[in-house]
């Protein structure tokens, strides 16, 4: 398949590995930002192929993982109402809240539906004017344009029985929080390819210059990831720190400006809480005041719901690249994908789940 097969080519991967071995002189710690990259790295064993002293640590870029537990509980409280059709992408249905998951809420009689586009909610709202249609709008910058379009069109078309439960987070403030941490070990980043397809990479240039850290916007296939590592290591060995774009088939410096404009009309930047990490200033989107009538948290008055994470869970440190899943005493015992305790086990893009699913249940690999 074009744009996939050639990026899984074994000969090309071998050539890139050889080049990495030739370029690398010193030990380096790199972070892949996206959960999709983590998933590919663990699935294809990319980290095991690298020289022993290039360590990949796993970043915070799994949107399901970082959705706060209390927001999931709020989703359940709203979904359980008899006047609500609660819509979500399929990946949120099995994510447990404090008591159960959305599938269980559905099995108790709630009208919970999987949609393939946020705009499907408009059709449902028109078809069921007696119901409130709520969309669970989670994700990074990548999913924000489609969610913004739902709210924008609902307002334009005067559809009042639609609202969104928003948990949008932004990558650049998370990278800054990692770099500001006194425990930071990360010396270079494989930047988030999908996010930059929408946002471009101008905002990463300022971060790279300020923290003197290389950021290479990278794709998701094994050859992408190896080339991203090579480009990052080359900069580090040469004492460089700039933004480069490995993922040229999808990303431009400016990104998708029409999508950015729509997002800016509907959302504004504000503080967001990240599951496992806590609040990060200016790290998420919330609806602008003129669209606040479409905010499900206001419409259904669920603001008082609060929760606590299990004390054993170290997913905050895993998400910041400070520790690995094996460092957690609950990994693979009390905490599994079937019974996740914390953020990085709830989605296959979370580092703990990826380690579990691809057989990394024991600490046998270097850097893994
Ligand atoms: S294994 Fe589970 S409890 Fe441990 S850090 Fe990962 S998500 Fe948290």
């Amino acid at each position: 398949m074009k744009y996939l097969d050639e990026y899984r080519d074994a000969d090309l991967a071998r050539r890139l590995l050889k080049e990495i071995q030739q370029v690398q002189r010193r030990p380096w710690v790199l972070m892949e930002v996206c959960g999709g990259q983590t998933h590919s790295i663990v699935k294809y064993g990319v980290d095991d192929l690298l020289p022993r002293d290039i360590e990949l640590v796993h970043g915070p870029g799994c949107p399901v993982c970082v959705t706060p537990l209390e927001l999931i509980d709020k989703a359940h409280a709203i979904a359980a109402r008899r006047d609500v059709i609660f819509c979500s992408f399929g990946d949120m249905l099995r994510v447990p809240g404090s008591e159960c998951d959305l599938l269980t809420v559905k099995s108790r009689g709630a009208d919970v539906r999987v949609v393939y586009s946020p705009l499907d909610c408009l059709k449902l709202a028109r078809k069921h004017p007696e119901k409130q249609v709520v969309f669970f709008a989670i994700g990074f910058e990548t999913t924000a344009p489609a969610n913004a379009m739902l709210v924008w069109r609902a307002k334009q078309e005067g559809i009042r029985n639609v609202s969104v439960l928003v948990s949008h987070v932004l990558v650049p403030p998370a990278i800054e929080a990692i770099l500001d941490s006194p425990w930071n070990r990360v010396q270079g980043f494989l930047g988030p390819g999908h996010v930059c397809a929408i946002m471009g990479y101008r905002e990463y240039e300022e971060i790279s210059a300020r923290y003197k850290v290389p950021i290479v916007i990278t794709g998701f296939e094994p050859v992408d990831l190896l080339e991203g590592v090579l480009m990052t290591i080359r900069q580090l060995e040469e004492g460089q720190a700039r933004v480069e774009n490995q993922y040229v088939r999808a990303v431009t410096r400016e990104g998708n400006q029409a999508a950015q404009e729509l997002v800016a009309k509907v959302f504004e930047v504000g503080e967001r809480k990240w599951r496992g990490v806590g609040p990060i200033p200016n790290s998420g989107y919330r609806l602008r005041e003129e669209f606040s009538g479409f905010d499900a948290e206001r419409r259904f008055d669920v603001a008082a719901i609060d929760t606590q994470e299990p004390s054993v869970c170290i997913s905050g440190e895993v998400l910041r690249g400070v520790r690995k899943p094996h460092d957690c005493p609950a990994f693979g015992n009390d905490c599994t994908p079937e019974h996740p305790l914390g953020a990085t086990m709830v989605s296959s893009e979370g580092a703990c789940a990826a380690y579990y699913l691809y057989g990394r249940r024991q600490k046998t690999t270097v850097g893994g």
Side-chain angles (χ1 to χ4, degrees):
M1 189 186 294
K2 189 150 174 62
Y3 297 127
L4 279 184
D5 291 344
E6 61 267 51
Y7 294 93
R8 295 175 182 172
D9 182 273
D11 288 337
L12 189 48
R14 271 188 220 102
R15 285 208 294 277
L16 286 164
L17 275 168
K18 201 167 167 197
E19 220 175 322
I20 290 169
Q21 286 157 2
Q22 287 165 350
V23 168
Q24 185 241 343
R25 295 278 173 271
R26 288 166 283 173
W28 300 108
V29 177
L30 313 184
M31 172 181 277
E32 83 280 358
V33 172
C34 280
Q37 293 167 331
T38 303
H39 188 100
S40 282
I41 284 166
V42 180
K43 179 177 179 184
Y44 293 104
V46 171
D47 50 348
D48 282 347
L49 296 172
L50 294 172
R52 290 177 66 86
D53 46 10
I54 297 178
E55 184 181 0
L56 293 182
V57 296
H58 317 304
C62 163
V64 174
C65 300
V66 300
T67 301
L69 189 55
E70 59 260 34
L71 205 87
I72 296 167
D73 286 353
K74 288 176 186 181
H76 295 179
I78 294 169
R81 291 173 58 112
R82 297 176 72 88
D83 60 339
V84 163
I85 299 173
F86 193 87
C87 301
S88 169
F89 293 143
D91 54 1
M92 288 309 290
L93 291 196
R94 296 199 64 99
V95 177
S98 299
E99 197 240 323
C100 65
D101 58 23
L102 271 173
L103 273 183
T104 307
V105 178
K106 183 177 172 66
S107 74
R108 292 172 184 163
D111 193 346
V112 176
R113 304 191 190 191
V114 173
V115 293
Y116 296 97
S117 160
L119 296 182
D120 292 345
C121 297
L122 292 178
K123 289 185 213 150
L124 281 170
R126 282 192 213 99
K127 195 172 169 192
H128 300 281
E130 77 289 1
K131 293 276 193 176
Q132 289 287 330
V133 178
V134 183
F135 182 66
F136 203 176
I138 76 148
F140 284 90
E141 294 94 323
T142 329
T143 53
N147 295 339
M149 181 62 85
L150 166 61
V151 175
W152 178 260
R153 282 198 40 195
K155 182 157 187 176
Q156 297 298 310
E157 296 172 24
I159 300 174
R160 307 303 306 170
N161 61 327
V162 162
S163 58
V164 286
L165 183 60
V166 179
S167 179
H168 269 301
V169 281
L170 307 174
V171 170
I175 290 182
E176 289 176 285
I178 288 163
L179 289 169
D180 282 333
S181 163
W183 300 283
N184 175 48
R185 302 164 58 221
V186 180
Q187 296 161 298
F189 289 89
L190 306 186
H194 289 155
V195 165
C196 291
I198 300 294
M199 302 304 290
Y201 54 83
R202 286 159 54 117
E203 52 193 334
Y204 296 86
E205 292 173 343
E206 196 271 325
I207 295 174
S208 172
R210 182 152 42 96
Y211 291 93
K212 300 189 175 27
V213 63
I215 301 175
V216 176
I217 312 305
T218 302
F220 297 81
E221 296 300 326
V223 165
D224 289 319
L225 293 158
L226 287 169
E227 191 174 29
V229 170
L230 174 61
M231 291 164 79
T232 314
I233 294 292
R234 188 174 276 138
Q235 282 197 50
L236 287 165
E237 292 289 351
E238 291 173 355
Q240 305 279 326
R242 63 183 186 280
V243 174
E244 287 185 283
N245 183 14
Q246 181 279 329
Y247 201 29
V248 288
R249 67 188 183 280
V251 171
T252 63
R253 182 169 182 262
E254 306 302 330
N256 182 335
Q257 291 182 56
Q260 292 167 30
E261 282 164 21
L262 177 64
V263 168
K265 281 179 188 159
V266 173
F267 293 116
E268 62 186 6
V269 172
E271 180 177 285
R272 272 275 163 208
K273 184 174 174 187
W274 296 54
R275 186 173 186 182
V277 176
I280 302 178
N282 300 320
S283 70
Y285 288 136
R286 61 182 173 225
L287 288 169
R288 288 188 177 279
E289 191 55 36
E290 57 265 42
F291 295 96
S292 60
F294 295 94
D295 185 342
E297 283 190 77
R298 291 197 194 190
R299 190 172 291 188
F300 298 102
D301 192 22
V302 286
I305 293 176
D306 205 7
T307 53
Q308 271 213 309
E309 297 280 355
S311 57
V312 69
C313 180
I314 59 162
S315 60
E317 290 165 276
V318 176
L319 287 165
R320 289 192 298 262
V322 178
R323 297 173 82 181
K324 294 273 178 99
H326 294 120
D327 297 324
C328 173
F331 175 75
N333 303 311
D334 295 337
C335 184
T336 64
E338 289 74 36
H339 300 285
L341 291 181
T344 40
M345 194 61 97
V346 296
S347 157
S348 65
E349 293 195 353
C352 294
Y355 272 50
Y356 189 89
L357 290 170
Y358 293 110
R360 305 265 182 104
R361 301 194 193 166
Q362 284 167 11
K363 198 171 187 172
T364 53
T365 56
V366 174

